């Protein structure tokens, strides 16, 4: 299995802050990396696919970078509606799709 | 707009079979795409359960493969899953989702349904 490790597991930030979340794969997954936003009681929302492509309708303050084993999700200016848990997901191995453990973004 | 809605019993007894249905609106399942199930145990992260193409091709999480069956009913525009011999470890919010046309990412999700395994 490809293990996905996110860091940090949680962070506190203020509105307007620049926030970066890291996701590391246990082996190279090239650019087969997706990011989701998840709010309690809601459906998860696809933000970024193929490491750096912005899903339609997602604000441009969200961006993704990386390839191989190391990836980042950046929110350039945190908005009140961005407080949520973020998950990465590798799609390199379609026989065993795996998610990271999540990063909870909380209000400072 | 594609919408997915999970349904099923909220409480299942240990050793019994968990059965859930996902009703899709705004898109005909028989038009294509893979469809999948993902779960989230309380306080934990997301776990992929399996994915199925409308015509029958399936991929299952190896850790659940002996207990999981995913099926599609194109006449009802529904995807279903059955998980046998459940234990408390199967307590989770269960989501259905559509797999995007390329890249094995989930582009539409249901709201999820909580299933508790308890006697």
């Amino acid at each position: 299995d490809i293990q996905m490790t996110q860091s940090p597991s949680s962070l506190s930030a203020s509105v307007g802050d620049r926030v970066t979340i890291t996701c590391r794969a246990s082996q190279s997954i090239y650019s087969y990396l997706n990011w989701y936003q998840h709010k309690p009681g809601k459906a998860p929302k696809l933000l970024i696919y193929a490491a750096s492509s912005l899903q339609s309708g997602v604000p441009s303050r969200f961006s993704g970078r990386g390839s191989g084993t190391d990836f980042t999700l950046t929110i350039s200016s945190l908005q009140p509606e961005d407080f949520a848990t973020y998950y990465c997901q590798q799609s390199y191995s379609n026989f065993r799709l795996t998610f990271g453990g999540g990063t909870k973004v909380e209000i400072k | 707009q594609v919408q997915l809605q999970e349904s099923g019993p909220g409480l299942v007894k240990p050793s019994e079979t968990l059965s859930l249905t996902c009703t899709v609106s705004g898109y005909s399942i028989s038009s294509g795409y893979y469809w999948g199930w993902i779960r989230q145990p309380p306080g934990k992260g997301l776990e992929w359960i399996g994915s199925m193409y409308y015509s029958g091709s399936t991929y299952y999480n190896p850790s659940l493969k002996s207990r999981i069956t995913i099926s599609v009913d194109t006449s009802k525009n529904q995807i279903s899953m059955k998980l046998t011999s459940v234990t408390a470890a199967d307590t989770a919010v269960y989501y259905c989702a559509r797999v995007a046309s390329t890249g094995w990412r989930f582009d539409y999700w249901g709201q999820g349904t909580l299933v508790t395994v308890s006697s």
Side-chain angles (χ1 to χ4, degrees):
Chain A
D1 290 0
I2 299 174
Q3 307 299 320
M4 306 302 294
T5 303
Q6 285 183 236
S7 62
S9 57
S10 65
L11 65 88
S12 296
S14 301
V15 173
D17 284 354
R18 182 181 181 88
V19 169
T20 297
I21 298 167
T22 297
C23 178
R24 176 165 289 174
S26 59
Q27 66 181 73
S28 176
I29 57 171
Y30 300 88
S31 295
Y32 293 98
L33 191 283
N34 310 305
W35 290 98
Y36 300 87
Q37 177 191 67
H38 192 199
K39 298 180 180 179
K42 302 278 191 175
K45 177 183 177 181
L46 177 65
L47 298 176
I48 301 284
Y49 64 94
S52 61
S53 295
L54 194 68
Q55 175 71 357
S56 176
V58 173
S60 59
R61 64 180 179 273
F62 291 93
S63 63
R65 295 187 65 179
S67 65
T69 60
D70 295 319
F71 302 86
T72 58
L73 172 71
T74 298
I75 308 171
S76 61
S77 178
L78 198 65
Q79 298 301 300
E81 60 268 30
D82 300 337
F83 292 96
T85 300
Y86 293 84
Y87 293 93
C88 61
Q89 175 235 331
Q90 65 81 14
S91 51
Y92 173 72
S93 172
N94 58 303
F95 293 100
R96 183 66 185 264
L97 303 174
T98 48
F99 292 85
T103 297
K104 187 174 184 179
V105 177
E106 299 175 300
I107 302 172
K108 182 182 284 184
Chain B
Q1 177 75 346
V2 180
Q3 293 185 311
L4 299 88
Q5 180 66 57
E6 305 89 347
S7 60
L11 181 64
V12 180
K13 289 182 168 55
S15 79
E16 295 189 343
T17 295
L18 184 164
S19 297
L20 296 175
T21 297
C22 174
T23 301
V24 179
S25 57
Y27 185 82
S28 173
I29 291 175
S30 58
S31 296
Y33 289 100
Y34 273 86
W35 304 84
W37 288 93
I38 302 99
R39 69 181 182 178
Q40 183 176 33
K44 296 187 178 181
L46 298 168
E47 179 184 33
W48 171 70
I49 296 171
S51 299
M52 179 172 188
Y53 196 57
Y54 78 99
S55 59
S57 174
T58 54
Y59 295 101
Y60 294 136
N61 187 323
S63 69
L64 299 170
K65 193 171 185 176
S66 63
R67 300 194 292 132
I68 186 71
T69 302
I70 296 175
S71 60
V72 168
D73 186 336
T74 55
S75 66
K76 295 181 179 179
N77 221 36
Q78 292 178 335
I79 308 108
S80 298
M81 63 161 278
K82 293 184 185 297
L83 184 66
T84 62
S85 305
V86 297
T87 69
D90 295 310
T91 294
V93 176
Y94 286 77
Y95 298 94
C96 61
R98 190 182 80 168
V99 180
S101 57
T102 59
W104 288 96
R105 61 189 182 272
F106 300 101
D107 58 355
Y108 289 96
W109 294 66
Q111 298 270 56
T113 187
L114 174 63
V115 179
T116 301
V117 178
S118 174
S119 55

